[in-house]
Amino acid sequence: MRHGHGYRKLGRTSSHRAALLKNLAIAIIKSEKIETTLPKAKELRSYVEKLITRARKGDSNAHRAVFASIQDKASTNRLVTEVAPKYVGRNGGYTRIVKTRLRRGDAAQMATIELVSAE
């Protein structure tokens, strides 16, 4: 029974799952919109929103904390200097998931996950 189980395993080992989430996070920071499977998108939402919340302060400690998670200098810099400051007045809900199609081949439910435009 999975009472209180807090994450999706996605059919991967823990190190593979961590690498997958890190690479998806880098991709969404760079392009602001990606298409992936629905379970991956739902798991990525939590991961990216925590990163954005950390990056909102914009100080050197925020840089350090974000870089420790995604280990990509360009994406870290873009997140802390360009993306996160747009969400300073917003308490969470930085991403949107939209179901798109069934993937041909294995009929997996696909979804786009994108950063919400801040007003």
Side-chain angles (χ1 to χ4, degrees), residues 54-63 80:
R54 260 192 239 144
R56 277 176 25 182
K57 286 192 177 179
D59 57 359
S60 61
N61 202 34
H63 272 273
V80 176

Side-chain angles (χ1 to χ4, degrees), residues 90-101:
R90 188 179 186 109
N91 294 325
Y94 314 120
T95 57
R96 173 185 301 126
I97 296 176
V98 180
K99 293 180 186 177
T100 54
R101 63 189 174 98

Side-chain angles (χ1 to χ4, degrees), residues 20-96:
L20 171 80
L21 289 173
K22 180 169 55 170
N23 287 324
L24 287 173
I26 290 168
I28 197 169
I29 291 165
K30 283 183 180 173
S31 64
E32 297 195 2
K33 183 177 182 177
I34 58 172
E35 185 180 34
T36 185
T37 62
L38 185 62
K40 286 180 195 171
K42 287 181 176 181
E43 197 62 26
L44 178 63
R45 173 177 43 194
S46 165
Y47 190 84
V48 168
E49 292 203 0
K50 288 174 187 170
L51 284 178
I52 293 172
T53 300
R54 260 192 239 144
R56 277 176 25 182
K57 286 192 177 179
D59 57 359
S60 61
N61 202 34
H63 272 273
R64 227 177 268 123
V66 171
F67 184 76
S69 295
I70 61 176
Q71 297 170 350
D72 183 68
K73 285 184 182 178
S75 295
T76 300
N77 197 31
R78 186 175 192 291
L79 180 63
V80 176
T81 59
E82 296 173 30
V83 177
K86 293 191 289 188
Y87 300 111
V88 170
R90 188 179 186 109
N91 294 325
Y94 314 120
T95 57
R96 173 185 301 126

